[in-house]
Amino acid sequence: MKWSEQTWQTIEEKYNSILKMPFIKELSDGTLLLEKFKFYMAQDSLYLEHFGRTLSLIAAKIQDLQDVLAYMRFAENAIVVENALHESYFKDFGVTDKGILQPACHHYIHFLRSTAALESVEVAVAAVLPCFWIYREVGDYIYKNQNAINNPYQKWIETYGGDEFSIAVDQAIAICDKVAENTTEETRKRMTEAFITSTRMEYHFWEAAYQLKTWM
Ligand SMILES: Cc1ncc(CO)c(N)n1
């Protein structure tokens, strides 16, 4: 069994807990309080900036040149989506300022940044994989289960439910499987741990938005 298949099994329960979150349910049916979506968007804009920086660091470290190109594209895309958020959603929803990093986003971003900086590149690609994979699965789930006619969050739903994103996700999974195959059992274990940690933080990111959780 591939590393990715084995690893997904370890987070299946966590993934199902994400699907049951009120943030996801209310986003799907369009009932999510605007204030919560605005909080999410502003934090996600900060998240995407640092996610892009993390992906660039991986691009600089990964061995295979084709993989360098892939992570450069992923990095560019993260910043492009950040810009789109800024240019369109911020205006549409009346967000004027991103504000500061709040605890859940701060925790997640710093985990990704320090993993990319200090761990091996194998562990780094595994740490960023849930950012791709969980979003695709949640995006597809919301896309299929949406039941609102004029969902104010439609544009968001389409960003992660689309084919273009899915192709990038498949590439990221394939690269993880390739590097996993060529490394040691010990590193594969650390890759899986990093993947689980990021999965947990995806959960907490949505939870924090739902609870409007800020620093003291
Ligand atoms: C928190 C979070 N994780 C993953 C993605 C998708 O890249 C996103 N936009 N935000």
Side-chain angles (χ1 to χ4, degrees), residues 40 44 47-48 51 81 108 130-132 135 156 160 165 202 205:
Y40 168 79
D44 208 43
Y47 165 86
L48 284 165
F51 180 51
V81 175
Y108 196 4
C131 316
F132 291 91
Y135 260 60
W156 185 92
Y160 293 108
F165 184 63
E202 288 291 345
F205 198 96

Side-chain angles (χ1 to χ4, degrees), residues 13 21 51 75-76 83 92 104 115 119 125 131 145 161 166 181 188 212 216:
E13 216 173 295
M21 297 185 84
F51 180 51
E76 181 178 4
N83 279 328
D92 293 353
T115 301
E119 298 280 345
V125 291
C131 316
N145 289 280
S166 189
E181 217 179 289
R188 274 192 290 276
L212 300 169
M216 62 179 292

Side-chain angles (χ1 to χ4, degrees), residues 14-32 36-37 40 134-135 137-143 145-147 151 153 156-157 202-203 205-207 209-210:
K14 291 180 180 60
Y15 168 65
N16 285 322
S17 303
I18 290 174
L19 296 183
K20 290 194 199 100
M21 297 185 84
F23 190 97
I24 302 302
K25 188 188 166 293
E26 293 173 19
L27 191 67
S28 314
D29 62 23
T31 59
L32 184 69
K36 295 180 181 181
F37 190 70
Y40 168 79
I134 302 251
Y135 260 60
E137 299 310 314
V138 172
D140 284 351
Y141 174 84
I142 293 176
Y143 197 81
N145 289 280
Q146 56 183 329
N147 47 17
N151 191 327
Y153 310 121
W156 185 92
I157 292 171
E202 288 291 345
Y203 178 96
F205 198 96
W206 277 308
E207 184 190 51
Y210 197 76

